Amino acid sequence: MKAVQIICNREIARALTDTIRRTILMVLREKPMTQTQLAEEMGLSKAALNHHLKILQQYGLVSLVKKEEESHGIVQKFFAANSYLLLYDFNALPKDIVSYFYPAILERATGIISMLSMSNQALLRDHKLANFITKSLSTYLIEAAAPYVDIEIDYGDEGITYEIYTRAIQTLLREKLGIMAST
């Protein structure tokens, strides 16, 4: 599977506004699964799962990766996510889609500020930092992820996510230090 897919297509992003589809992708990035396994894992009917899988396949987010014929003649089809990490390019997407994902950006920014404040309590009171991180994180993540787009990784390789976020946060910190020095 690809390490990263950067979502800049409006239709793909719109399809991913559905939380069930995003959850399916998260489950399938760990290992390939049959529709039955996935439906049981998620507590969905096979019909509902089939609907969402078709949409994910239509946009190239999920693929049929293997077929196994069982002894009684039934063919099991295994599906997998095509990319481990999906990042949204908010500079390329319409505002209505960006606003849908804004709470997740704000949550990430809050997490980053909380982590940074462990060594510097003044950061908790710096509202400019929160605004800066919230507005900039997506851009820095896209920049950090770009070199990973064509890299193939194994299922469940969470390390790639940490690498990308670490690079993005390092850039954020350099940018923040530059802003502090100029004000």
Side-chain angles (χ1 to χ4, degrees), residues 126 128-129 132 175-183:
D126 186 349
K128 289 181 183 179
L129 176 63
F132 176 77
E175 288 292 318
K176 176 58 181 167
L177 291 173
I179 287 173
M180 290 174 73
S182 67
T183 54

mmCIF file of all heavy atoms in Angstrom, residues 126 128-129 132 175-183:
data_model
loop_
_atom_site.group_PDB
_atom_site.id
_atom_site.type_symbol
_atom_site.label_atom_id
_atom_site.label_comp_id
_atom_site.label_asym_id
_atom_site.label_seq_id
_atom_site.Cartn_x
_atom_site.Cartn_y
_atom_site.Cartn_z
ATOM 1 N N ASP A 126 -0.842 31.525 24.891
ATOM 2 C CA ASP A 126 -0.506 32.178 23.628
ATOM 3 C C ASP A 126 -1.560 31.851 22.580
ATOM 4 O O ASP A 126 -1.465 30.874 21.860
ATOM 5 C CB ASP A 126 0.881 31.726 23.160
ATOM 6 C CG ASP A 126 1.362 32.473 21.932
ATOM 7 O OD1 ASP A 126 0.552 33.188 21.302
ATOM 8 O OD2 ASP A 126 2.546 32.330 21.581
ATOM 9 N N LYS A 128 -2.188 33.322 19.872
ATOM 10 C CA LYS A 128 -1.636 33.430 18.523
ATOM 11 C C LYS A 128 -1.054 32.087 18.082
ATOM 12 O O LYS A 128 -1.137 31.720 16.919
ATOM 13 C CB LYS A 128 -0.562 34.510 18.449
ATOM 14 C CG LYS A 128 -1.106 35.914 18.562
ATOM 15 C CD LYS A 128 0.006 36.928 18.467
ATOM 16 C CE LYS A 128 -0.527 38.329 18.643
ATOM 17 N NZ LYS A 128 0.545 39.322 18.582
ATOM 18 N N LEU A 129 -0.456 31.358 19.014
ATOM 19 C CA LEU A 129 0.110 30.049 18.696
ATOM 20 C C LEU A 129 -0.991 29.086 18.261
ATOM 21 O O LEU A 129 -0.851 28.382 17.267
ATOM 22 C CB LEU A 129 0.870 29.476 19.896
ATOM 23 C CG LEU A 129 1.433 28.065 19.722
ATOM 24 C CD1 LEU A 129 2.474 28.047 18.618
ATOM 25 C CD2 LEU A 129 2.025 27.573 21.030
ATOM 26 N N PHE A 132 -2.117 30.049 14.832
ATOM 27 C CA PHE A 132 -1.068 29.747 13.867
ATOM 28 C C PHE A 132 -1.024 28.255 13.559
ATOM 29 O O PHE A 132 -0.988 27.852 12.398
ATOM 30 C CB PHE A 132 0.287 30.220 14.415
ATOM 31 C CG PHE A 132 1.445 29.865 13.536
ATOM 32 C CD1 PHE A 132 1.700 30.579 12.374
ATOM 33 C CD2 PHE A 132 2.279 28.805 13.861
ATOM 34 C CE1 PHE A 132 2.766 30.251 11.554
ATOM 35 C CE2 PHE A 132 3.354 28.473 13.048
ATOM 36 C CZ PHE A 132 3.586 29.200 11.894
ATOM 37 N N GLU A 175 8.898 27.849 12.201
ATOM 38 C CA GLU A 175 8.113 29.000 11.747
ATOM 39 C C GLU A 175 7.685 29.859 12.934
ATOM 40 O O GLU A 175 7.732 31.075 12.867
ATOM 41 C CB GLU A 175 6.875 28.535 10.973
ATOM 42 C CG GLU A 175 7.188 27.984 9.615
ATOM 43 C CD GLU A 175 7.686 29.054 8.658
ATOM 44 O OE1 GLU A 175 7.121 30.159 8.649
ATOM 45 O OE2 GLU A 175 8.646 28.783 7.920
ATOM 46 N N LYS A 176 7.266 29.227 14.013
ATOM 47 C CA LYS A 176 6.828 29.973 15.203
ATOM 48 C C LYS A 176 7.996 30.755 15.782
ATOM 49 O O LYS A 176 7.849 31.913 16.171
ATOM 50 C CB LYS A 176 6.244 29.016 16.250
ATOM 51 C CG LYS A 176 5.857 29.672 17.562
ATOM 52 C CD LYS A 176 4.837 30.781 17.382
ATOM 53 C CE LYS A 176 4.506 31.407 18.730
ATOM 54 N NZ LYS A 176 3.789 32.634 18.594
ATOM 55 N N LEU A 177 9.164 30.143 15.818
ATOM 56 C CA LEU A 177 10.330 30.865 16.339
ATOM 57 C C LEU A 177 10.634 32.063 15.454
ATOM 58 O O LEU A 177 10.991 33.119 15.946
ATOM 59 C CB LEU A 177 11.533 29.919 16.432
ATOM 60 C CG LEU A 177 11.422 28.828 17.503
ATOM 61 C CD1 LEU A 177 12.585 27.849 17.385
ATOM 62 C CD2 LEU A 177 11.347 29.434 18.876
ATOM 63 N N GLY A 178 10.474 31.936 14.163
ATOM 64 C CA GLY A 178 10.701 33.060 13.249
ATOM 65 C C GLY A 178 9.709 34.180 13.494
ATOM 66 O O GLY A 178 10.052 35.353 13.464
ATOM 67 N N ILE A 179 8.463 33.823 13.783
ATOM 68 C CA ILE A 179 7.435 34.832 14.054
ATOM 69 C C ILE A 179 7.732 35.542 15.368
ATOM 70 O O ILE A 179 7.638 36.750 15.464
ATOM 71 C CB ILE A 179 6.026 34.187 14.093
ATOM 72 C CG1 ILE A 179 5.606 33.818 12.677
ATOM 73 C CG2 ILE A 179 5.010 35.121 14.710
ATOM 74 C CD1 ILE A 179 4.325 33.022 12.609
ATOM 75 N N MET A 180 8.129 34.770 16.368
ATOM 76 C CA MET A 180 8.417 35.379 17.673
ATOM 77 C C MET A 180 9.603 36.347 17.561
ATOM 78 O O MET A 180 9.598 37.395 18.193
ATOM 79 C CB MET A 180 8.730 34.308 18.721
ATOM 80 C CG MET A 180 7.503 33.483 19.108
ATOM 81 S SD MET A 180 7.902 32.117 20.200
ATOM 82 C CE MET A 180 8.228 32.988 21.710
ATOM 83 N N ALA A 181 10.576 36.026 16.755
ATOM 84 C CA ALA A 181 11.773 36.858 16.623
ATOM 85 C C ALA A 181 11.452 38.162 15.896
ATOM 86 O O ALA A 181 12.082 39.177 16.139
ATOM 87 C CB ALA A 181 12.868 36.114 15.877
ATOM 88 N N SER A 182 10.463 38.148 15.002
ATOM 89 C CA SER A 182 10.163 39.346 14.211
ATOM 90 C C SER A 182 9.144 40.255 14.856
ATOM 91 O O SER A 182 8.888 41.334 14.369
ATOM 92 C CB SER A 182 9.698 38.943 12.814
ATOM 93 O OG SER A 182 8.447 38.274 12.892
ATOM 94 N N THR A 183 8.488 39.824 15.944
ATOM 95 C CA THR A 183 7.493 40.678 16.582
ATOM 96 C C THR A 183 8.016 41.397 17.775
ATOM 97 O O THR A 183 9.066 41.217 18.262
ATOM 98 C CB THR A 183 6.242 39.865 17.011
ATOM 99 O OG1 THR A 183 6.670 38.763 17.824
ATOM 100 C CG2 THR A 183 5.473 39.411 15.814
#
